[in-house]
Amino acid sequence: MAQDDVFKKLVSHCKEYGYVFQSSEIYDGLSAVYDYGQTGVELKNNIKKYWWDSMVLLHENVVGIDSAIFMHPTIWKASGHVDAFNDPLIDNRDSKKRYRADVLIEEHLARYDEKTDKEVQKAAKRFGDRFDEAMFRETSPRILENRRKRDEIHTRFTRALNENNLEELRQIIIDCEIVCPVSGTRNWTEVRQFNLMFSTEMGSTADAAMKVYLRPETAQGIFVNFLNVQKTGRMKIPFGIAQIGKAFRNEIVARQFIFRMREFEQMEMQFFVAPGEELQWFEHWKQFRMKWHRALGFGAEKYRFHDHDKLAHYANAATDVEFEMPFGFREVEGIHSRTDFDLSQHEKYSGKKIHYFDPEQGKSYVPFVVETSIGVDRMFLSILAASYCEETLDGGETRVLLKLPPTLAPVKLAILPLVKKDGLAEKAREMMDNLKFSFACQYDEKDSIGKRYRRQDAIGTPFCATVDHRTLEDNTVTVRHRDSMEQERVSTDSLQRVIAEKTDMKNLLKQLAQHKA
Ligand code: GAP
């Protein structure tokens, strides 16, 4: 199946099974804003718990906070967001559509790569077994010419971005004859910078109202609480502060479902270290975070690092953890060594001293920071994309299932009476009433047992316990495993222990425990 089709199916599956809904759908929706449904919210909560427990529970020197979304507006001046949190934007005069100038150029560059790939595929067909792809890529005149043109544009593009040269960005669009995908014309406006922060007013009267922003990242709430946490928690460097919360960005090009949203959620941790030790901690957290991703069991090849060549002015190292989405490898997490930039800026703008006295070094300094920052929604999308499967069964029927890690699945156990009569429903209800204290269970008695299994497969429930006539005689149930569809007989007395063992968050956390900060 083409990856485009997989993605479309995933999006409709999310809606059909209560994972994700378009926000305000009955009013025709609100672009790039989504709601999580009854299964989605459980998966999301489990992802957040996995992250929180792995950062805060497992690390004695990492503590959590929950700071407010509204913050003093000067914070965003100090952080650089008021002046520099911008996207270059261009409008097409005919369609009145607005685009990110850099995205238009990136898409144009990607077309050169597609052209090259097509040439390679054609040649592979032509030459069959004798085909040497590496040699073809190095010698084919068409490919070489294609690459030359691409590299030329790419060089101009990166220079324009680095120099913040908006006129040159427009010129590249004109020179490359890039057309508006809607109107098909090249009638472009100038390129302008567009700030991504949402603002609103705080206060009751127009005169006294203060312009405040919806935070575009949760990290600043951590920086401005550094002293509060360090002092009240008697924290010694190195230590970290973790936070999960909403962030808001007025993204111009919002697409690919929940990949790029205007309201989203971040899980961020700032790790404060002594100056000079930041790169060693950067490496440490880089490895830990990759381990966290890989512990989910989707396969190491699904993840890769993308180290940044071009660093923000305040960073001395940065990498992304990328995941192979149906539309290619994309960033799900950023790990940055942010030097002492943020704390120094807040010291400057607030006029308050933000220093740490290091008893071991016998001096005080502004700590350096290593940040790990992951989007909950992107993580959610990556997990669903990796879990979504279609299988053709022996009879030709298609089974759609989500192979979610049992620990993260919204429902751990479905309890299904084979039929409603003969006391089976009552027995199943009794089990449900006992087991619901241990993990998320779902009771279902409607439709044939086959249909009920399919429904549970589709929401990713790892285990189904079927109560049948034998249950009334010997107190055993059939436990069906989602992925293999194998069935085994388990006594009702041990059911709680068997399912708890397989779905406990400890299973994931233990894989990370030996990695100490
Ligand atoms: N404090 C650093 C920071 O915010 P970022 O790379 O801009 O860094 C971190 O964002 C993570 O937040 C990204 O890796 C991504 O997972 C998520 N994220 C950023 N913008 C997003 C958006 N518009 N929609 C969904 N997730 C987003």
Side-chain angles (χ1 to χ4, degrees), residues 56 64 116 121 148 189 228 282 295 462:
V56 178
T116 297
Q121 280 163 15
R148 189 193 60 74
T189 62
N228 284 337
F282 172 77

Side-chain angles (χ1 to χ4, degrees), residues 332-347:
V332 289
E333 172 157 11
I335 300 156
H336 312 116
S337 172
R338 296 179 71 122
T339 67
D340 59 353
F341 173 78
D342 301 271
L343 290 183
S344 301
Q345 285 292 99
H346 289 306
E347 206 173 61

Side-chain angles (χ1 to χ4, degrees), residues 116-124 131 133 136-137 143:
T116 297
D117 289 344
K118 274 196 189 135
E119 287 289 333
V120 172
Q121 280 163 15
K122 263 196 322 207
F131 184 57
E133 181 177 330
F136 183 75
R137 281 182 184 272
I143 288 188

Side-chain angles (χ1 to χ4, degrees), residues 368-503:
F368 274 44
V369 171
V370 174
E371 166 185 79
T372 71
S373 173
I374 172 169
V376 180
D377 313 270
R378 276 194 201 173
M379 193 59 207
F380 182 102
L381 182 60
S382 71
I383 289 172
L384 280 184
S387 303
Y388 183 86
C389 287
E390 288 182 12
E391 286 178 2
T392 308
L393 303 178
D394 286 347
E397 189 198 344
T398 304
R399 175 169 93 114
V400 177
L401 74 160
L402 293 180
K403 287 189 178 177
L404 293 170
T407 315
L408 300 186
V411 179
K412 311 295 188 217
L413 179 71
I415 301 171
L416 317 171
L418 187 62
V419 288
K420 276 189 247 176
K421 52 186 187 177
D422 304 335
L424 299 189
E426 288 75 9
K427 178 72 185 165
R429 273 257 161 242
E430 184 192 314
M431 286 170 54
M432 172 82 191
D433 286 341
N434 285 328
L435 292 170
K436 70 184 175 193
F437 293 99
S438 302
F439 36 72
C441 302
Q442 197 171 81
Y443 175 86
D444 190 4
E445 58 177 28
K446 198 165 175 289
D447 298 323
S448 71
I449 193 73
K451 270 196 181 161
R452 280 180 274 166
Y453 283 153
R454 290 289 167 278
R455 272 205 294 270
Q456 295 300 330
D457 288 343
I459 64 168
T461 306
F463 305 103
C464 292
T466 307
V467 176
D468 54 19
H469 292 93
R470 202 175 135 192
T471 311
L472 302 181
E473 287 160 22
D474 66 2
N475 259 334
T476 62
V477 287
T478 300
V479 171
R480 174 196 182 260
H481 295 242
R482 177 196 65 202
D483 300 350
S484 61
M485 292 193 287
E486 272 168 17
Q487 304 197 352
E488 57 175 328
R489 225 43 214 184
V490 174
S491 83
T492 52
D493 296 340
S494 57
L495 189 59
Q496 188 279 339
R497 181 181 47 78
V498 170
I499 302 301
E501 265 171 18
K502 295 194 159 99
T503 59

Side-chain angles (χ1 to χ4, degrees), residues 217 249 251 259 261 264 266 268 331-332 371 373 375:
E217 62 170 17
R249 296 181 188 178
E251 301 280 1
F259 183 79
M261 302 157 87
F264 58 101
Q266 289 185 316
E268 297 199 293
E331 173 193 341
V332 289
E371 166 185 79
S373 173

Side-chain angles (χ1 to χ4, degrees), residues 194-340:
F194 176 81
N195 194 285
L196 298 184
M197 280 198 295
F198 285 101
S199 64
T200 184
E201 288 183 349
M202 189 176 267
S204 52
T205 60
D207 296 344
M210 173 163 72
K211 184 175 178 183
V212 290
Y213 299 98
L214 298 187
R215 65 180 178 199
E217 62 170 17
T218 59
Q220 298 303 324
I222 294 178
F223 290 124
V224 297
N225 276 297
F226 167 77
L227 283 181
N228 284 337
V229 174
Q230 191 270 315
K231 291 205 165 119
T232 58
R234 295 179 298 123
M235 306 302 292
K236 285 205 173 66
I237 272 179
F239 75 91
I241 305 179
Q243 159 154 249
I244 299 178
K246 289 271 187 171
F248 304 83
R249 296 181 188 178
N250 197 2
E251 301 280 1
I252 304 162
V253 183
R255 56 178 173 190
Q256 284 160 333
F257 192 38
I258 55 172
F259 183 79
R260 198 175 297 285
M261 302 157 87
R262 297 201 165 108
E263 173 180 339
F264 58 101
E265 210 163 354
Q266 289 185 316
M267 306 189 279
E268 297 199 293
M269 196 268 310
Q270 315 297 130
F271 198 69
F272 300 93
V273 304
E277 293 183 4
E278 70 278 9
L279 291 181
Q280 152 199 341
W281 283 111
F282 172 77
E283 198 49 42
H284 170 91
W285 283 109
K286 194 174 154 178
Q287 299 312 326
F288 180 81
R289 294 302 308 148
M290 185 56 101
K291 207 165 172 187
W292 184 89
H293 286 279
R294 288 187 172 156
L296 292 174
F298 293 123
E301 72 289 352
K302 289 266 176 199
Y303 306 88
R304 69 181 188 195
F305 285 120
H306 171 238
D307 295 335
H308 293 202
D309 300 326
K310 180 181 175 267
L311 293 172
H313 61 280
Y314 51 78
N316 62 4
T319 194
D320 295 334
V321 176
E322 293 187 340
F323 178 83
E324 192 177 14
M325 300 278 186
F327 39 88
F329 272 95
R330 292 288 187 284
E331 173 193 341
V332 289
E333 172 157 11
I335 300 156
H336 312 116
S337 172
R338 296 179 71 122
T339 67
D340 59 353

